[in-house]
Amino acid sequence: MHKISDFRSDTVTRPTEQMRKAMAEAIVGDDVLGDDPTVQELESMSSDLMHKEAALYVPSGTMGNSIAVNVWTRELDEVIVEAKAHIYNMESTSITFISRVNPRPLPSNRGAMDPSEVERNIKKPSVHLPRTSLICVENSHNGWGGAVVPMENLKAIREVADRHDVKIHYDGARVFNASQATGIPVDEYAVIGDSIMFCLSKGLSAPVGSILIGPQIFIDQARRVRKALGGGMRQVGILAAAGIVALNEMVSRLGEDHKRAKRLAMEIHDLPGINLNPAHVETDIIIFGFDHPELSTDEFIIKLKERDVLALATTAKDIRFVTHKDVDDEDVERTIAVIREILL
Ligand code: TLP
């Protein structure tokens, strides 16, 4: 009997045995009072890794991004975001809800915004116009099917930001995937952002948690905002212990996920109803357009589920599969066979 092959997200990954052991044995303190040694170890490992001054353990990527926007902006400001960015589309309007700033979405080429368009959208503040205080970049880019935004593009946007004294927040939920795909070390990506957030709970398989990293003065304020949002956690070294294992053990295996995503994409891209360029599958995410003469997107998802394959419809016309450590080669081969059976 096969198991359920769950491709909905890399967030579904279960903690490893090593993580569970580390969690059981974690030395803890009260992190809101600032004395949980395991959280401190995870935070200093993270800031060292990214070559920045300080880091803050937060419950989720959404909270990390929300805090960053809040610290870098004030009311009446504007934030430039890429039109399909997670921070703009998938975080329940946190930019406006929490920080009451105006998002300015810009189009892109697979996540890479045109630097001159970015520059054109930096406002000269006036009584009519908001001040542009922040640009958000995302890499790898979830909404663009795990696309890796080219480093030259990110550097050009950094130059624009520097010319106009605007900050950059880097949503690096999957920066380790980008780094595995390109061979560029994560700290080189981190240089692009004044702050960067990465997730421990996606491909890296920790049960909970993300890290926000930046200058000490930014993190000091971020810590206060985290508390205000209810994100101060007490003996949370229990969870941070799994994060330490994630950073030590799980980064180097992400390439396996990318290979499996590529294999799946290569085998299904030319089936009826699927609109997918396998060359666009660069990391662990596959997003394809679905337009079948007999099956709606929802019907296709249901047929997959009846065969113990889980995927997500991200829009009425798009479907997402994500590979991760809990779907192995056998899951991928079985899923290819299931998709062929449904569509042919
Ligand atoms: N993405 C989740 C869902 O929200 C869609 C997923 O399954 O991929 N930035 C990026 C680029 C993300 O992909 C996500 C999560 C987040 C931020 C937010 O992280 P969490 O879920 O920890 O709040």
Side-chain angles (χ1 to χ4, degrees):
M1 207 10 220
H2 57 253
K3 63 181 199 308
I4 290 176
S5 305
D6 190 347
F7 291 93
R8 288 172 302 167
S9 182
D10 46 9
T11 60
V12 305
T13 43
R14 308 273 156 79
T16 61
E17 280 310 310
Q18 200 182 343
M19 287 178 188
R20 287 178 184 273
K21 187 166 182 297
M23 291 169 78
E25 292 170 2
I27 300 167
V28 297
D30 186 324
D31 185 50
V32 175
L33 299 181
D35 57 25
D36 187 307
T38 309
V39 173
Q40 283 166 356
E41 186 184 337
L42 175 61
E43 289 177 345
S44 65
M45 264 176 92
S46 302
S47 52
D48 287 353
L49 203 60
M50 298 290 170
H51 282 143
K52 291 201 189 289
E53 275 175 10
L56 183 71
Y57 185 54
V58 289
S60 67
T62 301
M63 191 183 284
N65 283 340
S66 301
I67 292 172
V69 171
N70 189 264
V71 176
W72 289 132
T73 64
R74 52 172 203 257
E75 284 178 43
L76 310 183
D77 282 357
E78 188 161 275
V79 177
I80 292 177
V81 293
E82 192 278 329
K84 288 194 184 200
H86 196 279
I87 199 167
Y88 175 53
N89 294 280
M90 303 289 288
E91 301 186 8
S92 299
T93 72
S94 64
I95 293 181
T96 37
F97 178 61
I98 294 172
S99 296
R100 296 195 279 180
V101 292
N102 197 42
R104 172 66 49 186
L106 299 187
S108 76
N109 177 13
R110 297 181 42 72
M113 293 180 282
D114 177 347
S116 60
E117 269 308 295
V118 172
E119 188 155 23
R120 192 163 293 121
N121 278 278
I122 294 178
K123 304 258 160 65
K124 252 182 140 218
S126 73
V127 71
H128 303 288
L129 298 176
R131 177 183 73 127
T132 305
S133 45
L134 184 66
I135 300 166
C136 294
V137 298
E138 180 179 326
N139 186 36
S140 65
H141 199 299
N142 185 349
W144 283 100
V148 179
V149 179
M151 185 53 109
E152 317 80 74
N153 176 262
L154 295 169
K155 282 187 175 161
I157 292 176
R158 179 73 260 177
E159 280 170 22
V160 169
D162 287 342
R163 264 203 297 282
H164 297 277
D165 200 20
V166 170
K167 302 291 185 199
I168 294 183
H169 173 63
Y170 184 134
D171 178 345
R174 297 185 180 82
V175 67
F176 290 97
N177 294 83
S179 166
Q180 280 288 310
T182 58
I184 298 171
V186 282
D187 61 318
E188 285 186 36
Y189 283 119
V191 169
I192 300 300
D194 295 280
S195 57
I196 181 165
M197 181 281 293
F198 70 80
C199 292
L200 295 159
S201 60
K202 299 197 163 56
L204 301 184
S205 309
V208 179
S210 295
I211 307 278
L212 181 61
I213 304 139
Q216 187 66 53
I217 185 174
F218 165 87
I219 293 296
D220 290 344
Q221 178 68 5
R223 195 173 288 280
R224 296 184 64 186
V225 177
R226 182 185 71 174
K227 186 69 175 70
L229 295 177
M233 299 177 287
R234 301 293 178 173
Q235 285 71 44
V236 71
I238 293 258
L239 296 174
I244 292 171
V245 177
L247 286 180
N248 284 334
E249 306 296 331
M250 305 304 283
V251 172
S252 61
R253 58 153 308 287
L254 291 173
E256 295 171 28
D257 302 342
H258 301 177
K259 273 195 208 131
R260 291 191 177 114
K262 196 76 166 176
R263 160 99 187 134
L264 183 55
M266 289 302 291
E267 293 300 310
I268 64 170
H269 78 279
D270 52 1
L271 294 174
I274 292 185
N275 181 7
L276 169 65
N277 178 352
H280 284 169
V281 178
E282 298 174 80
T283 57
D284 60 338
I285 302 178
I286 306 169
I287 296 180
F288 57 82
F290 189 73
D291 191 6
H292 193 273
E294 282 144 39
L295 281 179
S296 71
T297 304
D298 287 345
E299 285 164 345
F300 181 48
I301 295 284
I302 289 168
K303 281 191 181 294
L304 288 168
K305 194 172 179 187
E306 285 165 359
R307 292 157 177 81
D308 291 336
V309 173
L310 304 185
L312 273 186
T314 54
T315 73
K317 286 275 176 199
D318 296 288
I319 293 178
R320 185 176 84 151
F321 282 75
V322 186
T323 53
H324 51 79
K325 86 157 185 8
D326 295 331
V327 284
D328 58 16
D329 288 341
E330 212 181 306
D331 289 289
V332 170
E333 296 312 315
R334 190 178 74 78
T335 299
I336 292 166
V338 161
I339 296 174
R340 293 182 72 83
E341 181 206 321
I342 298 171
L343 297 182
L344 284 177

